[in-house]
Coordinates of all heavy atoms in Angstrom, one line a residue:
G1 N 8.2 -5.4 -0.7 CA 7.6 -5.3 -2.0 C 6.1 -5.8 -2.0 O 5.5 -6.0 -3.1
E2 N 5.5 -5.9 -0.8 CA 4.1 -6.3 -0.8 C 3.2 -5.2 -1.0 O 2.0 -5.4 -1.5 CB 3.9 -7.0 0.6 CG 4.6 -8.3 0.8 CD 4.2 -9.0 2.0 OE1 3.0 -9.2 2.2 OE2 5.1 -9.4 2.8
I3 N 3.6 -4.0 -0.7 CA 2.8 -2.8 -1.1 C 3.5 -2.3 -2.3 O 4.7 -2.0 -2.3 CB 2.8 -1.7 0.0 CG1 2.1 -2.2 1.3 CG2 2.1 -0.4 -0.4 CD1 2.2 -1.2 2.5
R4 N 2.7 -2.1 -3.4 CA 3.2 -1.6 -4.6 C 2.3 -0.5 -5.2 O 1.1 -0.5 -4.9 CB 3.4 -2.7 -5.7 CG 4.5 -3.7 -5.3 CD 4.5 -4.9 -6.3 NE 5.7 -5.8 -6.0 CZ 6.8 -5.8 -6.7 NH1 6.9 -5.0 -7.7 NH2 7.8 -6.6 -6.3
V5 N 2.9 0.4 -5.9 CA 2.1 1.5 -6.6 C 2.3 1.4 -8.1 O 3.5 1.3 -8.6 CB 2.6 2.9 -6.1 CG1 1.9 4.0 -6.9 CG2 2.3 3.1 -4.6
D6 N 1.3 1.2 -8.8 CA 1.3 1.0 -10.3 C 2.3 -0.2 -10.6 O 3.0 -0.2 -11.6 CB 1.8 2.2 -11.0 CG 0.7 3.3 -11.0 OD1 -0.5 3.0 -10.7 OD2 1.0 4.5 -11.4
G7 N 2.3 -1.2 -9.7 CA 3.0 -2.4 -10.0 C 4.5 -2.3 -9.5 O 5.2 -3.3 -9.6
G8 N 4.9 -1.2 -9.1 CA 6.4 -1.0 -8.8 C 6.6 -0.9 -7.3 O 5.7 -0.5 -6.5
R9 N 7.8 -1.3 -6.9 CA 8.2 -1.1 -5.5 C 8.3 0.4 -5.1 O 8.7 1.2 -5.9 CB 9.6 -1.8 -5.3 CG 9.6 -3.3 -5.2 CD 11.0 -3.9 -5.1 NE 10.9 -5.3 -4.9 CZ 10.9 -5.9 -3.7 NH1 11.0 -5.2 -2.6 NH2 10.9 -7.2 -3.6
V10 N 8.0 0.6 -3.9 CA 7.9 2.0 -3.4 C 8.4 2.1 -1.9 O 8.5 1.1 -1.3 CB 6.5 2.6 -3.4 CG1 6.1 2.9 -4.9 CG2 5.5 1.7 -2.8
K11 N 8.7 3.3 -1.5 CA 9.1 3.5 -0.1 C 7.9 4.1 0.6 O 6.9 4.6 0.0 CB 10.3 4.5 0.0 CG 11.6 3.9 -0.6 CD 12.7 4.9 -0.4 CE 14.0 4.4 -1.0 NZ 15.1 5.3 -0.9
A12 N 7.9 4.1 1.9 CA 6.8 4.6 2.7 C 6.6 6.1 2.4 O 5.5 6.6 2.5 CB 7.0 4.4 4.2
A13 N 7.7 6.8 2.1 CA 7.6 8.3 1.9 C 7.2 8.7 0.5 O 7.1 9.9 0.2 CB 8.9 8.9 2.3
T14 N 7.0 7.7 -0.4 CA 6.6 8.0 -1.8 C 5.3 8.8 -1.8 O 4.4 8.6 -1.1 CB 6.4 6.7 -2.6 OG1 7.6 6.0 -2.6 CG2 5.9 7.0 -4.0
R15 N 5.3 9.9 -2.7 CA 4.2 10.7 -2.9 C 3.2 10.1 -3.9 O 3.7 9.7 -5.0 CB 4.6 12.1 -3.3 CG 5.4 12.9 -2.3 CD 4.6 13.5 -1.1 NE 5.5 14.1 -0.1 CZ 5.0 14.7 0.9 NH1 3.7 14.8 1.1 NH2 5.8 15.3 1.8
L16 N 2.0 10.1 -3.6 CA 1.0 9.5 -4.5 C 0.3 10.6 -5.4 O 0.2 11.7 -5.1 CB -0.1 8.8 -3.7 CG 0.4 7.6 -2.8 CD1 -0.8 7.1 -2.0 CD2 1.0 6.5 -3.7
M17 N -0.1 10.1 -6.6 CA -0.8 11.0 -7.5 C -2.2 10.4 -7.9 O -2.3 9.2 -7.8 CB 0.0 11.1 -8.8 CG 1.4 11.8 -8.6 SD 1.3 13.4 -7.9 CE 0.5 14.3 -9.2
P18 N -3.1 11.3 -8.2 CA -4.5 10.8 -8.5 C -4.4 9.7 -9.7 O -3.7 9.9 -10.6 CB -5.2 12.0 -9.0 CG -4.5 13.1 -8.3 CD -3.1 12.7 -8.3
G19 N -5.2 8.7 -9.5 CA -5.3 7.7 -10.6 C -4.3 6.5 -10.4 O -4.5 5.5 -11.1
Q20 N -3.3 6.7 -9.6 CA -2.4 5.6 -9.3 C -3.1 4.4 -8.6 O -4.0 4.7 -7.8 CB -1.2 6.0 -8.5 CG -0.2 6.9 -9.3 CD 1.0 7.3 -8.5 OE1 0.9 7.6 -7.4 NE2 2.2 7.2 -9.2
T21 N -2.6 3.2 -8.8 CA -3.2 2.1 -8.1 C -2.2 1.6 -7.0 O -1.0 1.5 -7.3 CB -3.5 0.9 -9.1 OG1 -2.3 0.6 -9.8 CG2 -4.5 1.4 -10.1
V22 N -2.8 1.3 -5.9 CA -2.0 0.8 -4.8 C -2.4 -0.6 -4.5 O -3.6 -0.9 -4.2 CB -2.2 1.7 -3.5 CG1 -1.4 1.2 -2.3 CG2 -1.9 3.1 -3.8
R23 N -1.4 -1.5 -4.5 CA -1.6 -2.9 -4.2 C -1.5 -3.1 -2.7 O -0.5 -2.7 -2.1 CB -0.6 -3.8 -4.8 CG -0.8 -5.3 -4.4 CD 0.5 -6.1 -4.8 NE 0.3 -7.6 -4.6 CZ 0.5 -8.2 -3.4 NH1 0.9 -7.5 -2.4 NH2 0.3 -9.5 -3.3
V24 N -2.6 -3.5 -2.1 CA -2.7 -3.7 -0.6 C -2.6 -5.2 -0.3 O -3.6 -6.0 -0.8 CB -3.9 -3.1 0.0 CG1 -4.0 -3.3 1.5 CG2 -4.0 -1.6 -0.4
P25 N -1.6 -5.7 0.4 CA -1.5 -7.2 0.6 C -2.6 -7.6 1.7 O -3.2 -6.8 2.3 CB -0.1 -7.3 1.1 CG 0.2 -6.0 1.8 CD -0.5 -5.0 1.0
P26 N -2.7 -8.9 1.9 CA -3.6 -9.4 2.9 C -3.2 -8.7 4.3 O -2.0 -8.7 4.7 CB -3.4 -10.9 2.9 CG -2.9 -11.2 1.5 CD -2.1 -10.0 1.1
L27 N -4.2 -8.2 5.0 CA -4.0 -7.5 6.3 C -4.8 -8.2 7.3 O -5.9 -8.7 7.1 CB -4.3 -6.1 6.2 CG -3.5 -5.2 5.1 CD1 -4.1 -3.8 5.0 CD2 -2.0 -5.2 5.5
P28 N -4.4 -8.1 8.6 CA -5.2 -8.6 9.7 C -6.5 -7.7 9.8 O -6.4 -6.5 9.5 CB -4.3 -8.5 10.9 CG -3.3 -7.5 10.6 CD -3.1 -7.6 9.1
E29 N -7.6 -8.3 10.2 CA -8.8 -7.5 10.4 C -8.6 -6.6 11.7 O -7.9 -7.0 12.6 CB -10.0 -8.4 10.6 CG -10.3 -9.2 9.4 CD -10.7 -8.4 8.2 OE1 -11.2 -7.2 8.4 OE2 -10.5 -8.8 7.1
P30 N -9.2 -5.4 11.6 CA -9.2 -4.5 12.8 C -9.9 -5.2 14.0 O -10.9 -5.9 13.8 CB -9.8 -3.2 12.4 CG -10.7 -3.7 11.2 CD -10.0 -4.8 10.5
T31 N -9.4 -5.0 15.2 CA -10.1 -5.5 16.4 C -10.8 -4.3 17.1 O -10.7 -3.2 16.7 CB -9.1 -6.0 17.4 OG1 -8.2 -5.0 17.8 CG2 -8.2 -7.1 16.7
D32 N -11.5 -4.6 18.1 CA -12.3 -3.6 18.8 C -11.3 -2.6 19.4 O -11.6 -1.4 19.6 CB -13.1 -4.2 19.9 CG -14.3 -5.0 19.4 OD1 -14.6 -4.7 18.2 OD2 -14.8 -5.9 20.1
A33 N -10.1 -3.1 19.8 CA -9.0 -2.3 20.4 C -8.4 -1.4 19.3 O -7.7 -0.4 19.7 CB -8.0 -3.1 21.1
A34 N -8.5 -1.8 18.1 CA -7.8 -1.0 17.0 C -8.8 -0.8 15.9 O -8.8 -1.5 14.9 CB -6.6 -1.8 16.5

């Protein structure tokens, strides 16, 4: 439930629509290798 769309729980396969908000949790910073 750390990634949410419009405040609700979602699956990875959920289709997004324009204007929806995506909650992005704290993520590690990209490295030179990634």
Side-chain angles (χ1 to χ4, degrees):
E2 295 187 47
I3 296 176
R4 291 177 176 254
V5 174
D6 288 345
R9 285 178 172 265
V10 286
K11 296 182 179 179
T14 298
R15 298 279 177 178
L16 299 175
M17 298 301 294
Q20 288 185 314
T21 59
V22 181
R23 179 193 185 274
V24 179
L27 300 173
E29 295 296 334
T31 65
D32 291 339

